[in-house]
Amino acid sequence: MAKNYFYNLLLSLANLLFPILSFPYVSRILGPEGIGKVQFIYSFAMYFALVASLGIPIYGMKEIARRRNDPDARSAVFSELFIVNVITSVVLTLAYLLVIFFFPYFQADRNLFIAAGLLILLSFSYIEWLYTGMEEFRSIALRSVLFKLIGLVLMYTFIRDRNDFGIYLLIMIFSFMGNNLLSLFLSRSRVKLVLRDLKLRRHIVPLLMILSTTFATSMYTEMDTVLLGLLANNKTVGLYTAAVKLSKIIIPFVTSMGVVLIPRIAKYFAEENLEGVQETLNENFRFLAFFSVPIAMGLMLFAPEFIALFSGKEFLPATLSMQLLSFLPVVIGFGHLFLCLILIPAGKNKEMLFSVICGMVISVLLNFLLVPVWKEVGSSIANLSAETLVSVMYFYFIRKHFKFTYQWSLMGKALLSTILFIPVIWMARLYGTSLILTLILGIGGCAICYIATQLFLFRNYFVFSVLDFLKAKLMLKNKV
C-alpha cells in the first residue's frame, strides 16, 4: 500500500510539475489564440478516442484485478478487451475522418486534425488499466515521468514563435502515444495475446453500459472545449484552457489516494466486506477533506497571480473563469470517491449512467445558453455545474443503496481553517515585491496557518497520523 501510494504520488507530482514547467513557456510564445487552436484540435480528437475506449480502462481494471493471480485468465480477459478496443479504434477513426473531410469548418487546419487522428487510431494502446489492475504503480509512474520529461525538452527546443502551434500539437501527441506504445510493448511480460477460444460477447453488455456512461461523461469533460471552440473562437478557447489547466492541475494529487485504494476496495466489495469498505472510505475522506478545501480556496484567492505567472498577462481575462473553476478539486475529488470507490466496485452501472446523463444535459444546455454571451466564463459555469450535479447524483444513489457514514465535520473544520488565508494573502500582496515573492509568502503563510489551525485548534487525527508516520521514518533512519 505505502509503495503503491508513493509511486502514484510521484505520478501526481509529475502531472503537477509538467504543466507548471511547460505551459508558462508555451502560452507566452503561442498566445491565447495558438493555445486555443491546439487545445481545440486535441480535445476534438480525444473525444473520439474516449468513445473508442468503450470504458475499457474502468471495466478492464476491475476484470484484471479479479484475475491478478491467474496468468491464463488474466491473459484471456486482456486479449478479449484489447481486440475489442482495436476494432472500436478503427471504427471511430473512420468516423473522425469522415467528419473532418466532409465539414468545411475543419478545412483550414485539416492537416493538424489528421495528425491528431493518431490519438484515435492508436487509442487501443492505452492499457494502463492492465498495470493498475495488477497494482504496478511503479511502472505507470516511471514511464509517465520519462515521456513528460522528453516532451518538456522537445517543447523548449522546438517551440520558438507563434507559428509553432503545429509543433506543439505533435509534441502533445508524441508524449501521450509514446507512453502508451511503450506500456503496450512491456505488457508482453505480464500477459500473452491469445487469439483462440475468446469470449468477446460476455463483455458486450457491461461495455455498452459503460460506453453510454463514457459518452455522456465525455460530453461535459471533453466537449466543453469543443463546444466553446464551435460557439466562440480560438482566443476564447485559449483563455478557458489556461483557467482549466490551472484549476485542474492539482486534481491528480487530490485523487491519488483513491486510485491506490481501488483494487483493495474492489476486493472488499467482492467479499461483501462492507466494514472494510467503510474503513477504506474513511481513509480517503480524511485525505480529501484535509487537502481539497485549502487547495480550492488557494486557487480562488490567488487566481490573478497564478494566471499572470503561469500563462502571462495576455491571459488575465481568464481570472474569473479560474475563480469559478477553483472549486473543481473539491467537487471532482469527492465525485471520484463516490464513483471509483463505491459505485463502480458495487456494479451500480445504471446509477452511474443516469448521473452522467444529467451532467451531460446540464453541460450542453448551459454551454449553448451562456457561451454566446459570456464566452469562457459561461463555459466555466457550465463545467462546474455539470461536475457538481454529477457528484451530487452519485451521492444520492449511494445513500439509496448503502449506509456508509462520512465525517462531514472535517469539511467544515477545513473551511473554517482557510478563513485566515484572506489576511495572509492581503499581507503577501502588500509586502511582496514581485509576483513570485507574493506567491511564496502567501502560499507559505497559508500553509502554516492551515496546518497550525488543524493541529492545535481542531486536533485533526489525519495530521497526527502523518506526523507519526514521518517520525517513525526518521527514527528508522537514525537507527540505521
Side-chain angles (χ1 to χ4, degrees), residues 18 26 30 34 37-39 41-42 96 109-119 122 147 150-152 154-155 158-159 163-179:
F18 179 69
V26 174
L30 300 183
K37 183 191 291 287
V38 173
Q39 193 61 46
I41 295 170
Y42 189 84
Y96 173 81
D109 299 302
R110 185 166 290 165
N111 289 336
L112 294 177
F113 278 102
I114 291 173
L118 287 172
L119 293 167
L122 299 177
F147 279 93
I150 295 173
L152 190 64
L154 292 175
M155 286 181 189
F158 293 105
I159 299 177
N163 294 320
D164 290 337
F165 53 82
I167 297 174
Y168 179 44
L169 176 64
L170 293 176
I171 292 172
M172 290 175 66
I173 294 171
F174 167 79
S175 297
F176 184 74
M177 297 311 307
N179 185 10

Side-chain angles (χ1 to χ4, degrees), residues 307-327:
I307 289 285
L309 180 64
F310 294 113
S311 303
K313 292 183 179 180
E314 280 188 275
F315 289 82
L316 279 175
T319 298
L320 179 56
S321 290
M322 181 177 170
Q323 289 174 327
L324 290 168
L325 294 171
S326 64
F327 296 98

Side-chain angles (χ1 to χ4, degrees), residues 12 15-16 19 220-222 224-225 240-255 295 299 322 325-329 332 383-384 387:
S12 299
N15 290 332
L16 170 65
Y220 68 87
T221 57
E222 295 291 334
D224 55 350
T225 301
Y240 180 69
T241 298
V244 169
K245 278 187 178 292
L246 288 168
S247 301
K248 289 187 174 183
I249 198 171
I250 203 69
I251 287 177
F253 169 74
V254 172
T255 59
I295 286 170
L299 288 172
M322 181 177 170
L325 294 171
S326 64
F327 296 98
L328 287 180
I332 293 178
N383 188 331
L384 180 62
E387 292 284 5

Side-chain angles (χ1 to χ4, degrees), residues 35 95 162 228 317:
I35 290 291
R162 299 219 163 188
L228 187 59

Side-chain angles (χ1 to χ4, degrees), residues 26 87 131 243 283 306 310:
V26 174
I87 296 170
Y131 295 88
E283 288 182 49
F306 282 129
F310 294 113

Side-chain angles (χ1 to χ4, degrees), residues 373-392:
V373 181
W374 292 339
K375 296 183 179 179
E376 70 277 358
V377 174
S379 194
S380 300
I381 294 171
N383 188 331
L384 180 62
S385 300
E387 292 284 5
T388 302
L389 178 61
V390 171
S391 294
V392 170

